[in-house]
Structure formats: C-alpha cells, structure tokens
Amino acid sequence: MARSGARLAVDRSVPGLIVKIGAYPLHHGGVGAIRSLGRLGVPMYAVTEDRFTPAAACRYLCGRFIWPTTGREEPERLVAGLLRIGRRIGRPAVLLPTDDEAAVLIAEHAEALTGSFLFPRPAPGLPRRLASKQGLHELCAAHGVPSPAAVFPASYPEIEAYAGRARFPVVAKNREAFVRRSRPAVAGTTRITGREHLLDLARDWGPRPAVVLQEYLPREQAEDWIVHACFAADGAPLALFTGVKVRSWPPHAGMTACAWVVDNPELARQAARFARRIGFTGTADLDWRFDRRDGRYKLLDFNPRMGAQFRLFETTAGVDVVRAQHLHLTGRAVPEGVQRAGRRFVVENVDLPARLAYGGGGGGPHVPARPRGTETAWFAADDPLPFLAMLARSAVPGARHLWQLHRAARRAATSRPPRSDAPPGQAPGRDAPPRQAPPRHEPPPGHEAPPRQGEEPQ
C-alpha cells in the first residue's frame, strides 16, 4: 500500500498517544490515527480496554496501555493515570483524544499534563462548553450561527408542557459530556415520533433530565454535511475539509456509515469564522445540516477532537487533521494543499445495516457517480489484523441487530390497520395490531460495551 504523505517532514522522535474514556472497543477513529501517523514512522501508543481490541492489534502500535474506564471516575484519578502512562513512554507525546470526555479532561487539566504531553491549549472551559448541547446552542446564538431550535427541560413537568406544544418528530440527545457516561438519558441521538413516545421516554430521565430536545430537520428537506479541521492558536486553519454524510447508523441520527468528500467553500468559511470567534484551537469535527426550507447550514454538533471518520479527508500534500496536529505541535510547517475531492469513506460493519435501512441509497445531488478512491474504516492491506479483530468482536451484536431489523420488517409487513367501521373515538376491534413499544435507538454493534469499573493502566 502506498503511504500517503510519506514525504511529510514529521518529527519521528515525538510519539502519539490515543486517549479514550469509556468502553467502546470498536472505534475506527483510533485505528485510523494509529495508521496515519504510524505509516510516517511516528511511534504510536494507545489506551485500550483489553488486549484484543482492533486498536491493540494494529501493526503500527508500539505499545498499548490496558486501562478500562467508565467516565465516572474522579478527574484527578484519570489525570494521574495519564501521567503514569507518560512516565512509561519516557518522552513527551502528542495527545490524540477520541471522545469529548478525553478532550474536556485534557483542556481542564492542562497545567498538570504540560511537560509530559503535547496538546493544543484552548480556553480551559471551551471544550466542555462545545461538547455540551446547551453550551453549543448558546455559543451559536451569541455568534449568529444558525442551529436547530432546542429546549433544555429541567423537570418532567417542563417536558409535559413542551410535549403539548412541540411539532413532532423531535430529536433527543444527552446534554453534557461525562453525564452521558454516568447517567445517560438516551443511548444516542434518538428520534421521538410523538407526545406519548416523549412522555414514555422521559419517565426514565429522573427529576433533572440531562437531555436536550431539538427540532428535527426532515431528511427529505435537508442534507448532512461534515467539517473536519485543525486550527492554530490564532484561529488560522491548518487543515480544513468538507464532505457529505450519505448514510448513518442508526439511520438518519447516528454515526457516519458512509461519507464523501465534497468541496463546499461557503461552509468551510462559516466553520472557520465560528472557530476563530470563539477562540478554538486544535482538532475539531463539526456536523451541519443544510435546511432547504430556509437555505441555511445549521450546526448540530461541535466535537472538540478528531472525528471517527477523519481519514475520509486528506490534502494533495498528504495532510489529514491528525498529521496537521502532530506537525504543528512539534514545530513543523504544515504544507499547503487542497482536499482530494470525490473520495469515499465506508465503515464496513455499520454500512451494511445502513444500506438495508436506506434501501441501498442514501446519496444526494452532490455525490458523484463513482468515487475517486475509497477509504475503509477497518480493512487495510498493510494492516489486516484490526479488521479481523473487528469481525470477531462484532459478529454476535451485529447478527443481533440484523435479526432485530428483520423482525421489525416482518411486523410492519404483517400488521393490519384498525377496523375502519369503528365509531369515532372508540378503540379499534380485535383485528387491530397490538400497541408497539416506542422505538429506542441503540448504539452501533460493539460501539458501547457495558461499562466497567476503572482500573489502573497496565
């Protein structure tokens, strides 16, 4: 396999460390980062749940630190664990967080971590605010960036009041980083179909719901766009990319299953302007939805770290956001280049059920007929073991999800509508289908294992 970016002047004396908080062993973003820098000769290390994760099997990994965490640990304990890892590496390493919790922890404990690690230095509270749905909504309002209408209920009565006036469907999301690990309201982005569905879910959210209820932008009137970027301390973009998400899992509300690189200068300028205004520095993954009803791009998420699908994007100089971050933090110049348009990214284990759910489609007016190259999340000819490890760990949950899809399709095909001769307001007769429980979105196969108690890094 040709090594893209092989001529980049990276500092091979400075290693990289993949940092994660929480149990999600099937994370292709971490594998992508190990490969991206490892192929350039950068020593790569990773925090892993156990010895058999795909990341732990990567040929470019110099060392793994087995450290299962939940996100419920005290921050000081997590920082102490990182410092122990730093001492074992023996030289400053570039930190590469793969989740919001890790990004927030690093930013808020920068003083303790400085000297042992290299990382961007945004304002300490900014990553937590960006990772918070409410904080991001407030930042968007303050800086004139469109975002979906949202409410942040503080109690069940407030949810009841909202349910009486809301236009369904709506979307529910966990409100804060770390809270989604310790007491999640929903398993992930959840589409709520009506008032009773909302009230049924809300009964499990406790007296202080840690949830945001957001306007749903209908798929038929919207386009899903993604922006990945790396910003210098002055807000200047070191690397800036745009693309279109064509399939996700769960459908229309989950992680990227398939995406394409598509040039969008307008969106790139909007994202860069917002990052500069809020003073963000470092790597970011932004989700936008173009609303055809009013012709505006609306910001859904601002993840203050690399996105799992970052390997979709690369410049003609061989730079992706992880390489740009490493070059910049080690004092190297980031060579200029334009993004390679027409590339496609496929997450093999979730794109199959996504294709079934989308009826084989999911494209759009911006997607070319044929890709100019496909980047797969798991398989790589020069590094096959992570793909095999993914297959081994996802076989059982993947089969369970496909069986659930099959059963749902059979129920939909065999259910019969209520008798039409029933008087208005009367319950349907015995031929009516039984009431189904409101649908609940589940995380992709293997992407959120049951949490375990925190342990010391091995």
Side-chain angles (χ1 to χ4, degrees):
M1 178 178 180
R3 292 189 178 186
S4 59
R7 296 183 180 180
L8 292 176
V10 296
D11 187 343
R12 296 179 178 87
S13 69
V14 180
L17 173 64
I18 306 298
V19 182
K20 61 192 309 187
I21 295 175
Y24 52 104
L26 295 190
H27 188 265
H28 51 275
V31 173
I34 294 167
R35 288 171 173 167
S36 180
L37 290 174
R39 286 171 178 150
L40 303 183
V42 174
M44 293 300 296
Y45 299 85
V47 172
T48 66
E49 290 85 348
D50 55 57
R51 294 176 174 82
F52 307 107
T53 67
C58 186
R59 65 169 288 192
Y60 296 105
L61 196 67
C62 293
R64 58 175 179 256
F65 300 96
I66 300 172
W67 187 21
T69 58
T70 65
R72 298 193 296 268
E73 298 85 357
E74 290 297 323
E76 292 75 16
R77 182 177 181 182
L78 294 172
V79 170
L82 279 178
L83 290 174
R84 281 192 292 272
I85 290 173
R87 288 192 292 271
R88 292 181 62 181
I89 293 175
R91 46 184 166 161
V94 172
L95 292 181
L96 299 168
T98 60
D99 52 68
D100 293 343
E101 287 79 9
V104 169
L105 182 80
I106 293 166
E108 294 182 350
H109 296 83
E111 294 302 324
L113 297 172
T114 296
S116 298
F117 301 104
L118 302 174
F119 49 91
R121 298 291 295 267
L126 183 59
R128 182 181 290 271
R129 196 173 182 192
L130 291 169
S132 160
K133 305 308 177 188
Q134 183 168 356
L136 177 61
H137 186 77
E138 293 169 351
L139 282 171
C140 286
H143 295 280
V145 174
S147 64
V151 297
F152 306 90
S155 65
Y156 188 82
E158 288 189 18
I159 294 174
E160 287 183 306
Y162 172 76
R165 67 178 187 274
R167 294 183 60 183
F168 292 93
V170 297
V171 173
K173 300 178 181 179
N174 293 302
R175 190 184 301 188
E176 309 285 345
F178 283 105
V179 174
R180 64 175 180 158
R181 304 284 187 198
S182 59
R183 52 180 189 278
V186 289
T189 301
T190 301
R191 184 173 179 266
I192 298 176
T193 56
R195 179 179 182 275
E196 292 304 319
H197 185 190
L198 172 59
L199 295 178
D200 180 66
L201 288 177
R203 291 185 184 98
D204 297 330
W205 293 347
R208 298 177 61 85
V211 68
V212 53
L213 299 173
Q214 198 174 68
E215 169 193 14
Y216 175 75
L217 304 180
R219 176 194 173 203
E220 60 273 11
Q221 296 177 340
E223 301 166 6
D224 287 326
W225 287 81
I226 49 181
V227 172
H228 285 219
C230 180
F231 297 99
D234 61 357
L238 302 167
L240 182 59
F241 304 98
T242 59
V244 171
K245 182 192 298 187
V246 299
R247 284 187 295 276
S248 59
W249 185 256
H252 316 300
M255 64 173 291
T256 299
C258 179
W260 292 66
V261 178
V262 178
D263 292 334
N264 190 331
E266 176 189 353
L267 181 59
R269 286 192 295 270
Q270 186 170 335
R273 183 167 55 248
F274 180 57
R276 186 178 297 109
R277 286 177 176 175
I278 63 176
F280 182 78
T281 178
T283 302
D285 166 21
L286 288 73
D287 289 327
W288 301 78
R289 184 161 287 181
F290 179 70
D291 190 342
R292 296 194 187 101
R293 298 171 300 179
D294 57 16
R296 298 194 300 172
Y297 292 95
K298 297 180 179 180
L299 184 57
L300 305 180
D301 292 295
F302 191 122
N303 302 301
R305 37 79 182 173
M306 69 174 179
Q309 72 274 27
F310 82 94
R311 277 299 303 156
L312 166 66
F313 300 110
E314 188 176 281
T315 70
T316 50
V319 173
D320 59 33
V321 293
V322 168
R323 290 172 175 176
Q325 189 72 88
H326 190 278
L327 287 166
H328 184 63
L329 290 174
T330 56
R332 304 298 179 99
V334 179
E336 295 183 0
V338 297
Q339 70 177 14
R340 299 183 187 273
R343 281 164 52 90
R344 178 177 63 178
F345 185 81
V346 175
V347 185
E348 301 96 312
N349 59 321
V350 296
D351 195 42
L352 174 58
R355 278 182 175 272
L356 295 175
Y358 282 75
H366 307 285
V367 176
R370 295 182 179 179
R372 299 178 187 173
T374 297
E375 180 88 12
T376 50
W378 295 109
F379 181 76
D382 64 330
D383 186 28
L385 287 183
F387 176 75
L388 298 176
M390 177 275 294
L391 290 179
R393 295 192 77 130
S394 62
V396 172
R400 183 172 64 247
H401 275 256
L402 289 176
W403 175 243
Q404 289 170 351
L405 283 176
H406 174 68
R407 290 184 61 188
R410 287 188 61 186
R411 284 197 301 268
T414 58
S415 63
R416 288 180 288 173
R419 286 169 44 185
S420 59
D421 57 349
Q426 178 177 321
R430 61 184 296 178
D431 292 334
R435 180 180 181 271
Q436 301 293 328
R440 297 176 185 265
H441 285 316
E442 297 184 5
H447 275 254
E448 196 68 37
R452 293 169 289 179
Q453 290 302 113
E455 300 174 3
E456 302 301 327
Q458 298 178 15

